[in-house]
Amino acid sequence: MAQAERSKFVESNTSYQSTMSSSESAPLLENGGHTGHRNLTFTRRVINFMKGESEPSWEESFKFFIFGTWLNILLVFVPLSFISHNMDWDVGLVFLFSFMAIVPLSKLLGEATDQLSVKLGETMSGLLNASFGNAVEIIIGVAALLTGQLRIVQTSMIGSILSNILLVLGCSFLAGGLYHREGLFNGTGAQASASLITLLCITFVVPAAYASTTDPGKETYCSNLDECPTAGLLFISRGTAILLLGVYCAYIWFQLKSHPDLFIAPSSKNSDVTVALSETDETEPRMGTAAAGVALLLVTVVIAFCAEHLVTSIEETAARYSIPKAFIGVILLPIVGNAAEHVTSVWMAMKNKYELTITICVGSSIQIACLVVPLLVIIGWIVDQPLTLYFHNFETIVLFVSVFLVNLLLMDGKANYLEGLMLLTLYFVIALAFWVV
């Protein structure tokens, strides 16, 4: 009897040990065992990533990328930009072809960014869109900076802010107001963004006030303060640029992590708005991750070349056709970089999704003022180009009154066609002024 119990105990102990050994060798995660990715070599992992298993194929990805929108018809201007530049055609044609080529390329850049962000999660998606949202402005700005055209850099940045908060927001409110009596958006979040733009506007006023009212600021070593600013003006501009980059990081955290509820459309009067917004935010995966990354890289390189052709032709085009350089920088160049965003913003307003419209217009302005402009100042510091935050008094006043009007209109969290008409009127008045400045 004792012998039988001893043998039964040995058998149970043996089975327990085998169970423990098998459970210890089992993976903690379902597909993390030795039979999964752990045994794959690095080369095999790269091949699997490039193949894009369970994703659209490379052929499907680039078919959608190239033929996905009618705006890509304008891609015919890309080779024309290269040909006209390298064969020394009329400088007006070089400017026109490069101008038209960047419009569809900016749309493709945004599309590649959206498709790449599908698999990266909410946080990484937000950071990616924030980083590449104004890549065209950065590329054009760097191209102008490297050639020493500091006034083009400054006027194009001011123009991008004005274009977003006046032209695009105005067109959106006007178009949406023709389809809907009144549009609703989260006034608290919009007011927080508008207040940040006000702060950024004030930081642009300080260098102008320093240069205009203080004795050290009035010291000039040449006839043009833009080309040889004082040491104090450079110190203020570069220090402010570093601080603004910190504010931008805080704003991204505020929008994506700590207070995301402030950027959700109100649902008190129309519960479908929030549902529609969430549906719109979800990008349908039409490209593989690797294909989207390759497309993003290729489009960025092509934009860089077209931007160089555009910038190098500005000086002669302005002189030959009597177009003020300030008008080119403030009015024309921002239209190139934001053409795709303009169409999207107006379309969202017509569909009564004003929260997306506010995010596109006001959020893009914050990115330009808080990220692009400081970044260009720091890049100029690195390449020994004295770019500052000192804008001419006329430009500073125009920016200040524009931000003031936008703050008043966003205060109540409502939009209508009359508000859009106000914004457009101010933008066209500014355009007329820069034509004769």
Side-chain angles (χ1 to χ4, degrees):
M1 183 68 178
Q3 184 69 21
E5 290 179 355
R6 188 180 295 110
S7 62
K8 185 181 294 184
F9 174 77
V10 172
E11 291 176 0
S12 63
N13 191 31
T14 304
S15 63
Y16 172 76
Q17 289 178 353
S18 63
T19 303
M20 286 294 294
S21 62
S22 63
S23 64
E24 288 176 356
S25 63
L28 291 176
L29 298 177
E30 188 175 339
N31 19 337
H34 299 290
T35 58
H37 295 287
R38 197 174 300 176
N39 278 340
L40 294 178
T41 63
F42 176 77
T43 306
R44 188 60 188 172
R45 292 180 187 178
V46 172
I47 293 175
N48 288 342
F49 175 75
M50 297 300 291
K51 282 183 177 179
E53 296 179 358
S54 72
E55 292 182 344
S57 65
W58 283 77
E59 181 181 356
E60 295 172 342
S61 298
F62 279 95
K63 184 178 180 180
F64 163 76
F65 190 66
I66 297 175
F67 301 105
T69 174
W70 60 268
L71 193 63
N72 289 348
I73 296 175
L74 298 179
L75 288 174
V76 68
F77 289 102
V78 174
L80 288 176
S81 172
F82 282 83
I83 294 172
S84 60
H85 175 78
N86 292 311
M87 297 187 66
D88 294 327
W89 288 5
D90 182 81
V91 67
L93 291 178
V94 178
F95 179 84
L96 177 63
F97 292 157
S98 302
F99 184 93
M100 297 300 296
I102 295 178
V103 174
L105 289 173
S106 64
K107 168 66 175 174
L108 292 179
L109 186 70
E111 189 65 55
T113 304
D114 288 341
Q115 292 295 324
L116 190 61
S117 65
V118 171
K119 294 294 184 68
L120 298 182
E122 181 180 354
T123 302
M124 288 301 298
S125 173
L127 291 175
L128 188 66
N129 282 285
S131 302
F132 284 92
N134 294 100
V136 176
E137 285 86 351
I138 295 176
I139 294 172
I140 293 177
V142 170
L145 190 63
L146 294 178
T147 57
Q149 300 192 48
L150 304 184
R151 282 295 297 154
I152 288 295
V153 178
Q154 289 183 322
T155 54
S156 64
M157 294 303 105
I158 288 286
S160 294
I161 298 173
L162 295 176
S163 175
N164 279 295
I165 64 176
L166 295 181
L167 177 62
V168 186
L169 192 60
C171 288
S172 302
F173 281 4
L174 179 61
L178 296 178
Y179 284 86
H180 311 281
R181 179 179 176 84
E182 190 176 69
L184 299 177
F185 53 88
N186 194 319
T188 306
Q191 196 61 41
S193 299
S195 300
L196 182 56
I197 294 183
T198 305
L199 169 65
L200 302 174
C201 183
I202 294 173
T203 61
F204 294 161
V205 172
V206 171
Y210 171 82
S212 303
T213 60
T214 65
D215 292 334
K218 292 180 181 179
E219 295 179 0
T220 56
Y221 304 98
C222 63
S223 59
N224 191 350
L225 188 60
D226 299 317
E227 297 179 357
C228 50
T230 62
L233 192 57
L234 283 172
F235 179 79
I236 293 174
S237 299
R238 291 166 179 174
T240 303
I242 296 174
L243 293 174
L244 288 180
L245 290 177
V247 171
Y248 180 73
C249 295
Y251 169 73
I252 292 297
W253 181 265
F254 181 84
Q255 187 178 30
L256 297 180
K257 282 294 184 182
S258 63
H259 294 74
D261 54 299
L262 296 182
F263 301 90
I264 299 177
S267 56
S268 57
K269 291 186 178 181
N270 186 5
S271 59
D272 293 335
V273 174
T274 304
V275 176
L277 181 61
S278 62
E279 291 176 352
T280 307
D281 285 340
E282 296 179 0
T283 303
E284 181 183 356
R286 302 292 299 274
M287 297 181 68
T289 306
V294 171
L296 182 65
L297 179 62
L298 291 177
V299 171
T300 303
V301 171
V302 176
I303 288 178
F305 281 104
C306 291
E308 181 185 0
H309 302 164
L310 178 69
V311 169
T312 54
S313 64
I314 287 177
E315 191 85 31
E316 191 174 348
T317 300
R320 179 175 299 184
Y321 297 98
S322 301
I323 304 175
K325 289 180 65 176
F327 184 84
I328 293 177
V330 174
I331 305 301
L332 296 183
L333 291 184
I335 294 177
V336 176
N338 296 321
E341 290 183 350
H342 293 183
V343 176
T344 303
S345 177
V346 173
W347 180 245
M348 290 299 105
M350 292 172 62
K351 296 170 69 174
N352 203 23
K353 299 174 183 176
Y354 283 87
E355 199 67 38
L356 286 177
T357 295
I358 299 297
T359 300
I360 292 172
C361 299
V362 182
S364 182
S365 298
I366 291 175
Q367 289 177 12
I368 293 168
C370 211
L371 174 66
V372 179
V373 175
L375 192 62
L376 290 175
V377 171
I378 293 175
I379 293 175
W381 189 3
I382 295 173
V383 300
D384 199 25
Q385 290 287 355
L387 181 65
T388 68
L389 296 179
Y390 167 67
F391 298 94
H392 293 180
N393 292 338
F394 175 70
E395 298 160 4
T396 306
I397 294 172
V398 163
L399 179 62
F400 189 83
V401 297
S402 300
V403 171
F404 178 73
L405 177 61
V406 172
N407 266 285
L408 291 178
L409 298 183
L410 295 181
M411 195 174 297
D412 59 351
K414 300 176 182 179
N416 54 62
Y417 72 89
L418 185 59
E419 293 181 349
L421 191 60
M422 295 178 192
L423 295 171
L424 287 176
T425 300
L426 178 57
Y427 183 78
F428 289 132
V429 169
I430 292 173
L432 292 175
F434 274 101
W435 180 260
V436 297
V437 71

